[in-house]
Amino acid sequence: MRWLKFTASDKTFWGILEGNQVIAVDGDPFSEWQRASRTHSLAQVKIELPLIPRTFYCVGLNYLKHLKEAADKRGEVPAVPDRPEIGYRAQNALIAHDEEVVIPSFATDKIHYEGELVVVIGKKVKHLTEANAMDCVFGYTIGNDVSERSWQKADRSLWRSKNADTFKPMGPWIETEADLDKMETIVRVNGTETNRFVTGDMIFGVVPFLVELTKYFTLWPGDVIWMGTDGASPDIKHGDVVEIEITGIGTLRNRFVREGQ
């Protein structure tokens, strides 16, 4: 099932996507809901952010190729993590499918993307085990982890390099029946493929992160965990359009524009 948030006739609803038709829903997927009689063509609605997470978790270096490329740039031997490690991102950075990533006018040219699988939590949980961890997963969506790399190098934290307004596109919807073992992540810039990798080929998969997170934190319905990326990005320029496709989910598309141009 594909759940999306959409706006039609100046009103925003939850809906279920079936083919190219959106069936409006009364209620929401995390509580009680029922199909309404209203239907819309997908082409005639504005796709909104699928949700605003209560807590926005993210995974760092979780793919070997990405880990090696990052270490090579620093002239270091890659150090493979021996346990799952988690960080955070800011809600203000989130934008929806087809909304614009705005590059600040004073940013350098080192603007990069990262195509990521996003895990959406469906119920309140803590102290998960390997056996029951996946019971809390409602579904999956797609994220584009935009970074300004010169800021990332200059600062002791990621406060602006990854959390500036519009730097976290997410969407276009939540897929509840995706098969992680069959997924590929494919990234295109202006229609040309720049990266492709097996989505599930992670150093640590979804289960270890859920187990580790819930040792310390309660997960709530609507929380999200961005699972990291593989490969590297070219420098993104004003006017470039980045599409991130994860097979079995869909395609997240956003245009990059530099402020003032």
Side-chain angles (χ1 to χ4, degrees), residues 16 18 26 33 48 62 77 79 81 84 87 107 134 146 164 184 188 193 212 216 223 227 241-242 253:
I16 297 169
E18 295 182 350
D26 293 327
W33 61 273
E48 305 289 356
N62 197 29
V77 175
M134 294 301 290
V146 178
E184 275 194 308
R188 301 178 184 89
E193 184 176 315
E212 185 69 13
Y216 310 96
D223 283 351
M227 293 302 300
V241 175
V242 175
R253 180 180 61 241

Side-chain angles (χ1 to χ4, degrees), residues 51-210:
L51 46 78
I52 302 291
R54 174 171 175 156
T55 308
F56 185 170
Y57 299 100
C58 64
V59 172
L61 297 170
N62 197 29
Y63 289 80
L64 284 173
K65 184 179 177 184
H66 187 61
L67 183 72
K68 183 178 184 303
E69 287 173 342
D72 287 347
K73 288 179 180 178
R74 299 191 301 269
E76 300 172 357
V77 175
V80 179
D82 58 2
R83 60 187 174 88
E85 294 192 18
I86 298 104
Y88 300 92
R89 298 289 180 263
Q91 292 177 341
N92 67 278
L94 288 166
I95 59 170
H97 172 77
D98 266 343
E99 293 183 344
E100 292 181 339
V101 177
V102 179
I103 304 168
S105 59
F106 46 87
T108 71
D109 293 334
K110 294 299 178 183
I111 305 295
H112 292 171
Y113 62 73
E114 293 180 355
E116 305 201 9
L117 177 72
V118 178
V119 179
V120 180
I121 302 303
K123 62 182 180 179
K124 180 182 176 182
V125 289
K126 196 173 183 183
H127 300 306
L128 292 169
T129 66
E130 288 191 7
N132 67 10
M134 294 301 290
D135 293 348
C136 76
V137 175
F138 175 73
Y140 304 92
T141 188
I142 304 169
N144 185 350
D145 184 7
V146 178
S147 305
E148 209 282 16
R149 297 301 191 191
S150 67
W151 297 347
Q152 186 172 343
K153 290 180 180 179
D155 297 340
R156 288 177 292 180
S157 72
L158 305 175
W159 69 277
R160 56 176 175 162
S161 63
K162 287 183 174 286
N163 293 308
D165 287 347
T166 76
F167 272 24
K168 292 294 168 284
M170 185 172 71
W173 43 67
I174 303 168
E175 172 59 63
T176 64
E177 298 175 11
D179 185 345
L180 290 179
D181 293 332
K182 297 180 179 178
M183 289 179 178
E184 275 194 308
T185 301
I186 305 151
V187 184
R188 301 178 184 89
V189 178
N190 302 325
T192 299
E193 184 176 315
T194 59
N195 195 13
R196 179 187 292 254
F197 58 93
V198 176
T199 310
D201 193 19
M202 305 172 189
I203 298 172
F204 296 102
V206 175
V207 169
F209 276 101
L210 290 171

Side-chain angles (χ1 to χ4, degrees), residues 233-255:
S233 163
D235 295 345
I236 297 299
K237 307 180 298 300
H238 172 78
D240 284 347
V241 175
V242 175
E243 294 176 297
I244 298 169
E245 175 187 355
I246 300 184
T247 55
I249 300 178
T251 301
L252 172 67
R253 180 180 61 241
N254 299 90
R255 181 172 179 260

